Amino acid sequence: MVAILLFVGAILFASSMIFMHSGTAKVVWVTVGLVLTLGSIVLIILNYNQYLGMKQVTTTTTVPLTSSSPKQKQVLLYRQLGTKNERVYLYRTNPLDKTMKRTNPATGKVIVKHGARYNRVVIKKTYRVYRNEEYRLLFSAGVPNHQFISQTWQFNLQSGWLVKPV
């Protein structure tokens, strides 16, 4: 919608500058076209840079955690990436499932806490959504609705659990 307002403002500004005769009507229409054009440009820039009309929404999922290795009990495995503290944690939420789930250090962070009562992983995903339908309609051609921001994995482990490299 804001792109349509930009187009209408530019056409109104250009056509009134070219085709209208001098007078107060020309000044009014040129001003209206210029205000529409510049206002639309400012709204587009604010939407891309400051996420105008959007709010952050966080969803939390808590699932039980089982040992990453079927041979060893009470172990959480990770793979080291490079020389930094970037690790990919491998975890299971179902002991019968043969595939392991992975964390992604590029899209989020991992917190490991020991001494919990139950073994579980808390996954928090943060998204940007439009505040209301009017903002979504205004900026529908800009930033998409339900845009992913980040993710956090919090591993709550009982005492006695080991965190080991693969």
Side-chain angles (χ1 to χ4, degrees):
M1 184 69 158
V2 73
I4 294 170
L5 290 175
L6 175 64
F7 181 72
V8 167
I11 294 296
L12 186 64
F13 174 74
S15 62
S16 61
M17 282 292 287
I18 295 170
F19 298 117
M20 290 187 79
H21 296 290
S22 297
T24 57
K26 180 177 181 174
V27 171
V28 168
W29 286 110
V30 166
T31 305
V32 168
L34 189 62
V35 166
L36 268 176
T37 303
L38 294 178
S40 298
I41 290 171
V42 167
L43 286 176
I44 289 171
I45 291 171
L46 284 175
N47 183 267
Y48 278 115
N49 293 331
Q50 303 296 322
Y51 302 102
L52 179 70
M54 299 189 94
K55 63 181 177 180
Q56 290 186 0
V57 174
T58 302
T59 60
T60 303
T61 307
T62 304
V63 290
L65 185 66
T66 61
S67 181
S68 297
S69 174
K71 298 174 185 173
Q72 293 179 316
K73 294 192 183 241
Q74 300 181 344
V75 68
L76 178 64
L77 300 175
Y78 69 87
R79 284 196 182 128
Q80 188 71 35
L81 294 179
T83 58
K84 297 181 182 177
N85 280 340
E86 295 177 336
R87 296 177 175 178
V88 175
Y89 286 85
L90 308 168
Y91 65 96
R92 292 179 203 245
T93 58
N94 185 353
L96 301 176
D97 195 8
K98 295 190 187 230
T99 61
M100 288 194 282
K101 298 178 182 178
R102 299 175 177 180
T103 62
N104 186 355
T107 61
K109 66 179 186 172
V110 176
I111 302 167
V112 178
K113 291 187 176 181
H114 291 280
R117 189 169 181 177
Y118 301 107
N119 295 322
R120 61 183 174 192
V121 59
V122 179
I123 303 168
K124 294 182 181 178
K125 293 182 183 180
T126 306
Y127 298 95
R128 281 192 187 96
V129 295
Y130 285 109
R131 293 184 191 274
N132 53 35
E133 197 65 25
E134 288 80 21
Y135 280 119
R136 190 193 62 76
L137 181 63
L138 186 63
F139 297 113
S140 61
V143 178
N145 197 15
H146 209 70
Q147 181 186 23
F148 177 76
I149 300 173
S150 67
Q151 186 169 359
T152 303
W153 294 270
Q154 180 177 335
F155 293 100
N156 298 324
L157 305 175
Q158 291 176 335
S159 57
W161 270 62
L162 299 174
V163 180
K164 293 175 45 175
V166 175

